[in-house]
Amino acid sequence: RQTAEEMARGAIARSNADVAVAITGIGGPTRGSAGKTVGIWTAKTNGSPLRRLAKVGQQPLWSLAAGKVAYVTPAGTSLALRLIAAGGGKSRVLVRRNVQNVFGWSPDGRYALYEEIMPKTKLGALPLFGKRKPFAYVQGGFNAVDAQFSPNG
């Protein structure tokens, strides 16, 4: 917890942000040990207490427009994409397996961009409205390093 607090408060002090997201873990964000607190944390500039959003997770990606945090978490032998409100609450699974990365949000916070690795590499877009059914944006034999929406949508 102390590490997460220092990371989040340091990020806030060095930026114009109102909220910072920090991730902690022992040997990585998915492993813990007795007496060690791991997870995805948020801190606000108003001095409110540090809040743990998720006990296990990696690659947190916060959307100001959506007010949500998307993150990757273990799901058996694979990884799933989950979503939680930036203020906390119950998370929900958006993509159940084979997620490799979560890259970004659309400027309006209505879509999340992620990489799925099986059966083929797929750069997927996930609408956060309606039925929330993900769709392949690009699919083929490639390795996605970074993907982003254009700033103007």
Side-chain angles (χ1 to χ4, degrees), residues 66-79:
K68 307 222 183 275
V69 176
Y71 64 99
V72 177
T73 187
T77 59
S78 185
L79 293 173

Side-chain angles (χ1 to χ4, degrees), residues 125-150:
L126 178 69
L128 297 177
F129 56 91
K131 294 183 180 180
R132 298 185 180 202
K133 185 176 179 182
F135 60 91
Y137 190 70
V138 178
Q139 188 168 328
F142 60 88
N143 289 324
V145 176
D146 190 14
Q148 298 179 26
F149 284 97
S150 69

Side-chain angles (χ1 to χ4, degrees), residues 31-98:
R31 296 180 194 91
S33 63
K36 301 292 183 181
T37 307
V38 299
I40 297 173
W41 303 79
T42 60
K44 295 182 179 180
T45 56
N46 66 7
S48 61
L50 191 67
R51 178 184 297 232
R52 182 164 58 180
L53 294 180
K55 290 182 180 179
V56 177
Q58 56 193 15
Q59 300 177 28
L61 189 61
W62 181 62
S63 168
L64 174 62
K68 307 222 183 275
V69 176
Y71 64 99
V72 177
T73 187
T77 59
S78 185
L79 293 173
L81 179 61
R82 298 185 73 93
L83 184 71
I84 190 166
K90 185 172 171 69
S91 69
R92 61 187 303 187
V93 176
L94 300 175
V95 179
R96 298 202 173 277
R97 61 186 176 278
N98 301 328

